[in-house]
Amino acid sequence: MKCLIIHLQPDRSNLCNETDVLESIDTLCGELEVVSSCSAESDDEGGPYTNIFITSDDLAAAWTALKSDLFEHEELGPYFAKTAIVTAEGDESWDDDYLLLMHYDDSEELDTF
């Protein structure tokens, strides 16, 4: 089982209510057969943030579904574009092998599966 992490920095945008965003992610994850589990942890250290942990045997399929249903969504997409960093666990765990799938900073080079 591998993990995909959606890191949200809600102070970067006021386009959506973070509670609504988290509920949308949780609902979608519950509907996707490819997602094994979904959990979130929030903290204020260094500024408010939330990490959403999504586990799956097929991270590429999970990312494809999440990307099309959430990150390309008409209302939620702009929020994620301003607040989100998405990483996926690589073949060798997290040690210099993770994938950067999305970043609010357009200058960051993104990886693909």
Side-chain angles (χ1 to χ4, degrees), residues 5-100:
I5 299 175
I6 301 171
H7 173 83
L8 298 175
Q9 296 180 5
D11 280 358
R12 296 186 53 81
S13 174
N14 62 358
L15 294 175
C16 294
N17 177 303
E18 187 185 15
T19 301
D20 294 339
V21 171
L22 295 176
E23 286 176 8
S24 295
I25 293 170
D26 189 54
T27 299
L28 178 61
C29 286
E31 295 171 353
L32 295 174
E33 289 183 21
V34 71
V35 171
S36 300
S37 68
C38 179
S39 62
E41 294 179 4
S42 297
D43 201 337
D44 287 328
E45 186 175 326
Y49 68 89
T50 299
N51 288 327
I52 299 108
F53 303 93
I54 299 168
T55 60
S56 175
D57 287 327
D58 188 348
L59 286 184
W63 172 238
T64 297
L66 290 165
K67 185 176 177 185
S68 68
D69 288 351
L70 292 175
F71 293 84
E72 295 172 0
H73 186 274
E74 185 177 324
E75 292 176 23
L76 297 175
Y79 175 81
F80 287 118
K82 292 181 179 293
T83 65
I85 300 170
V86 181
T87 55
E89 186 175 4
D91 292 333
E92 304 297 321
S93 190
W94 291 100
D95 298 332
D96 296 325
D97 189 40
Y98 68 90
L99 301 173
L100 179 61

